[in-house]
Amino acid sequence: FHSYPLSSDFTDDICRVAAERNVPVMIPTRPMMNWRFRTIPIESIGEIAARHSGTTFIVSGPNYLIEYQGLVKLMKQCSNVLYEIACLQGCLDFYNTERNWIARCFAIEYAQWFRVLLRGMQVLHLPIPLGGTTLLFRRAELERLGGWDGHNVTEDADLGIRLARFGMRCEIVETTTLEEANYRALPWIGQRSRWLKGYAITWASHMRNPLELLDELGVSGFLAFQTLFLGTPVGFLALPLHLLLWASL
């Protein structure tokens, strides 16, 4: 088990879990990079993946607080999953939900996303858009998919669709990673705009050959993809029209 930390915050937990599971762990004496920004460029994760020589690859950022038992669950479940399950996805939540109304709304959204919607999509065998952290990949399948798209700002969601197109599945793990909810209006707008842009790019990228996409995802997967990746940005763009219609009633 090799760990390539972008910061030193995560190192102690990794060592404890690896020792408990009797897994030899190799960690550099210092973080690979010293990030001054809260967002880690996806190209850097790709660089780490290229250096990584193990059979599995766990993604978690320095600003996330993954619970100790969560690491244990990921390691245990990794050895028990079926071959077609190429990725394990943990749930995300927030540690500052009491901050204000925006943070509480964010917490409600994440709760229904990870614990209701994604679990329903898993049961129905629909393509699952991956989250940005607490991901465990089989290295061989990750390389087969081509890794992350450095030009897509929602690269994990795009990777989830490519996973489904290759006939592989993602499984949701009952473990929670805490992050800080974006509780200020302008940063929230910027973050949400970036997500919508990424969904639009993902939709356009995969829709270059609609018939091929339909064949690989099947009818139900194709419709789910359209609903999520086209319906989400279109719904936000149509919001002014909704408000006008509501005001006219």
Side-chain angles (χ1 to χ4, degrees), residues 30-49:
R30 64 178 61 183
M32 288 186 64
M33 300 107 176
N34 281 325
W35 295 111
R36 293 177 299 151
F37 307 102
R38 298 181 64 84
T39 301
I40 299 171
I42 194 60
E43 294 88 346
S44 302
I45 300 180
E47 177 188 343
I48 295 171

Side-chain angles (χ1 to χ4, degrees), residues 5 17 32 34 46 66 97 119 153 164 170 179 182 193 201 236 245:
V17 174
M32 288 186 64
N34 281 325
I66 182 170
T97 54
R119 289 192 177 278
V153 291
C170 172
E179 65 170 309
N182 207 333
S193 300
I201 292 174
F236 274 83
L245 292 175

Side-chain angles (χ1 to χ4, degrees), residues 6 45 54 95 122-123 130 137 142 144 149 169 188 221-222 231:
L6 298 177
I45 300 180
Y95 56 78
Q122 174 184 315
V123 171
L130 302 178
F137 291 99
L142 183 61
R144 184 182 167 198
D149 180 1
R169 295 194 291 118
W188 179 87
F222 183 82

